[in-house]
Amino acid sequence: MLLRHREPTETGRPGTTRPEPGRRMFPKSVVPLLLLLALIPTGCSEWFTSTPPADQASDTTQPESTTPAPMVPPVAESGDLSESSADPVVQYDIQVQLDPDAKSLHGHQTLIYTNHSPDIIEELQFHLYMNAFKDQHSIYARETRQIFGVGLPSYGSIALDDVAVNGRQALSRITYPHQNQEGTGDETVATLPLDQPLFPGEQVSVFFDFTVKLPENTGRSGYIDDFFFIAQWFPKIGVWEPAGHRGRQESGWNCHPHHALSEFYADFGRYRITMTLPSEYVVGATGIKAAEQLSEDGTQKTLTYIQDRVHDFAWTAWPGFEVVERVFSLDEADYREAEERFGLSHEQAQLPPTRMILLIRPEHRDQTDRHFQALREGIKWFGWKLGPYPYESMTMVDPPREATGLEMMEYPTLVSLSTHWWQPEGYRDLEDLILHEFAHQYFQSMIATNEFEDPWLDEGFVTYTCLRALDVAYGRQHYYRVIKQAPVPLTRLMGFAAFPPVEQARYSFLPGKRVDPIHLPAWGFNSGDSYYGNVYEGAALTLFQLERELGEPVMDEVLRTYFERWSFKHPGIDAFRAIVNEVSGRDMNWFFDALIFSHGFIDYAVMPVRSLEPSEIEISTESDDEIREETEPEFDSFEAHLIEVRNLGTQAYPVTIEVRFTDGEVVRRDWDGTGSWHRFRLQHPHAVESVSVDPENKLILDFHRANNTWRAKPDQVTPRAVSLTLSTRLQHLLQILSGAF
Amino acid sequence: MSRSMPMPKAFLQGFRASFVHAPWVLFKWLINVAISALCLLPIYQLLRRDLEHGVVQVREEGGLSFAYFVDFLFAYSRELSILDLAWMTLLGLFALGNLVTTAGFLSALERGRQAPFGDVLAAGVFRAIPLGLLAAIIGSVLFYGYPFIASAFPWIDWPYADGPWQYGFGLGLALLGICLASLIYDYARIFLFRTWTFEQDIPGPVRPLWWLVKPLLALTHAFVFIATHPLKAPALWSIFALLSAALVMASQRLLDTGIGWGIVQVLILARIATSTSALGAQRALTLPVADAAPEAAPTKEPTGAKPAESATTGDPLTE
């Protein structure tokens, strides 16, 4: 899902809107006069209490993933799980009927599950996601209350009317492991003991007859009026993980209850979905439409969609959609771009055609090209940087404006957007959204990490790659602040230059409280702010930091290798870390320890240089612990300069310190960044001109980069010039606001 | 409806008004400068602390560096938060100061240059109340109503859009709002008050009812004027707005080249004079020529204020 720093630009129904996480970083009080300072975050609300997260208390199946797990070989290499399309783990065949009046679904599902593990499986576990909306006792509802301060605004559920295993009745054997002793509580996971154990290589067929009552405009799945966005709607089997898989100690099911902030982890498989609904409905779905049939009286239609090698299936239906379809293919300009900007030959740049389908609201018709252009840019960037998009189609859905609880979500080959009629050309919110959701096709849909346990491997990679793609496709941009539905280019009005997208991520992440590390399960964060900040922009910035550490070509190779090795599989952090070490040829474990597994922030600062008189040198000879003295023998008789760099932050990162003297000589020293300060003495015949920590400006996570340098000669001109520029802009703006033009 | 003044003459009258009543223009500028400076001083101090010994890229092609300001804002977020309250007060003062000086300028237009400053200021203060109310109503209608208008007409885009047509359309819409606001105000204050002298005779208890009806009449009158002179008022405001925009851009460009703050302020003063000229020009434009003769001037203020002294000037703008 895309949870960004954006405010809704169209009105949603009160009470049905999922609280807009984009507001989390923005101030509770905003400097009203100086519009520039409307950007200042002054605090983050505490959404979570200190109560242990519900899942931690109740979920006994999850592996402990908050600490670094030992490196394991990829499962495919160890033969643990096969995700090949020829012999998928799961095969779903579902016939479903939509009743628009009752806002319900009735389905018949046949699931064939193949045990590809070396283990003997004695029970099956299933997700019944829709029960998250059954009552206020579900884990989803409890977490929603904790995070957003409100309970469920509407209700929904999934009822199992019949269950059979290999043709034998099994409904009575269903239990709910997350229910409490009173039989209430969460019913989003069901356990089904098997009559006979499932041996390696064996298959089991499970039949479900189920009824879904859809919730209204909440939880990323449901309805509003006659619009339906239907996701996480059928009984979906969990993932059997053998010991060793993603650092797991013992084999078992990985089948988490539906959490407020995470929901994805499933095996790849083959889906065949046949849906029947009134004929006036326009449908979009995961995969390719294989058949369409109208009922005899013409009032109902039956559609069949199929898709191989996906781990989920979602669909949407609304009579109001207009359908536009185009085919992605490369032209000569694209090949030139591939060569000039990506260094790819004509042969290397080849990408397969993709059917791009847009279900758009009629009033957004004039923005059709923008949608396709953005998707095109995504297919190119990800295709050239990671690997070709393998599916035949990609569908974008533009939900009705009231559907604020059903937008901005990603599913295999299908994404929901949030398009607004008020979309100036320079406001790249739409493009950002399309690229973000398309990036999920790679990081989540193909590289199928566990969103429950490793959310940053999903959203963090998506945010990072999306920002890079956005930069390549659209270049620098301005910050638009949405004021009363109007995106205002605030930075441009205040006289700022356009900036690369990564600065937007810094702006979003840096002011947040650093109380959690990036690597935590979704329910393990201290607050909603902490979750969003770390999992999205925090992880993205850390990957940008990794890119600066390794260099862009090496980072690109890391991404490519990660995709080639782990697409259609379920990697954990160790898989990625191993690839970083392997491709870079360096031991980068320290990087993960410093920035992924630890929390805090980075801020190095140079202190004013003290030049010591010869008489002081004796006095200043403190213990070695305090002063690491650098003596240049040839300058023994010269002035001594005391250089001090402080670590004002809480995290450590190796840095370089550069000292420039007035005669042009430059001296560099490395510091591992640990401790709260580092001091050394240089003897030199000339005065110090400047001292810089991180002189190459590599440390993108440094909280305050202006204090990274100290120069001897103060600069009075720049602050004055900047102040006057701001002042004049301010006068102009206030003049307009006060009614004069 | 009476014949209105030709456009060129109205423009000249507008410019002349700004010179004739220069003290009000200067007063307005001084308030602008003073309050902007008050807002800026703490920022300058923080910037000085940050940049005096630091080496960061504060400027880049196209303007100030957003990257630097991200650091700056967060590094000094505590200090800046403390300043919130002060800035809110200053914002209020800025808006109020501009409103009162604009209203004072309008009062000066009515009363003539011979009128005592104190009288004009007092009239301006009273005038500022309905003027502010009117501006707030029109502004709210535009601000809150625009999305709904644009929802019905999706091809409309926001004034800040990048495309020239979108920008032009948005600007045009904003100008139309200004036109309407000032026209309504003018009609309400000048014509209705003066033309229908029976207002004076309305008994006190019934007068509030008349105050309810009067704005509607003013609105109708304003629409009638725009309908009968569809180009005049918008053209007038467009030309002045373009002039103003040119001055804004010139001042920003000059500032980027390192030119002094004083010269930029002269341009800002010119910009303020442009907006007051626009008010004067509209007054001249909408004042029917037939009514502009001294003999057509009202003999007394409807509110019971001091009679206008401008009859001796022979200047339609000062009627």
Side-chain angles (χ1 to χ4, degrees), chain B residues 148-165:
Chain B
F148 296 102
I149 298 167
S151 210
F153 305 100
W155 46 272
I156 295 174
D157 215 324
W158 176 239
Y160 296 117
D162 294 340
W165 284 108

Side-chain angles (χ1 to χ4, degrees), chain A residues 586-599:
Chain A
R586 297 164 57 183
D587 181 354
M588 294 297 293
N589 289 341
W590 64 268
F591 180 92
F592 289 85
D593 292 340
L595 300 182
I596 301 288
F597 296 117
S598 74
H599 71 276

Side-chain angles (χ1 to χ4, degrees), chain A residues 504-550:
Chain A
Q504 176 88 36
R506 287 190 83 244
Y507 165 64
S508 305
F509 174 64
L510 292 182
K513 291 175 184 171
R514 300 278 85 80
V515 294
D516 289 314
I518 288 170
H519 187 71
L520 276 183
W523 56 85
F525 289 89
N526 172 264
S527 66
D529 279 349
S530 183
Y531 169 84
Y532 294 123
N534 279 290
V535 166
Y536 285 75
E537 282 88 4
L541 279 175
T542 306
L543 290 169
F544 271 110
Q545 187 63 55
L546 183 62
E547 179 191 312
R548 291 194 174 197
E549 190 65 41
L550 302 178

Side-chain angles (χ1 to χ4, degrees), chain B residues 102-118:
Chain B
T102 301
F105 176 79
L106 289 170
S107 295
L109 281 181
E110 276 185 37
R111 288 163 180 255
R113 79 177 89 175
Q114 306 301 329
F117 184 83

Side-chain angles (χ1 to χ4, degrees), chain A residues 601-657:
Chain A
F601 68 99
I602 293 172
D603 185 14
Y604 288 102
V606 178
M607 296 291 107
V609 172
R610 266 185 73 203
S611 293
L612 305 172
E613 296 298 323
S615 59
E616 284 185 282
I617 294 175
E618 288 290 322
I619 301 167
S620 68
T621 309
E622 299 166 31
S623 70
D624 286 347
D625 288 344
E626 291 185 353
I627 293 189
R628 283 146 244 188
E629 186 173 356
E630 300 284 346
T631 305
E632 304 287 350
E634 64 268 34
F635 296 139
D636 267 351
S637 59
F638 299 125
E639 198 175 13
H641 308 285
L642 198 61
I643 314 294
E644 182 173 333
V645 177
R646 287 194 188 163
N647 181 358
L648 304 178
T650 55
Q651 285 178 308
Y653 197 89
V655 286
T656 298
I657 300 160

Side-chain angles (χ1 to χ4, degrees), chain A residues 404-424:
Chain A
T404 48
L406 307 171
E407 59 182 10
M408 296 194 286
M409 274 303 293
E410 69 281 1
Y411 300 95
T413 80
L414 177 87
V415 296
S416 64
L417 306 175
S418 177
T419 305
H420 304 290
W421 54 265
W422 205 326
Q423 202 93 18

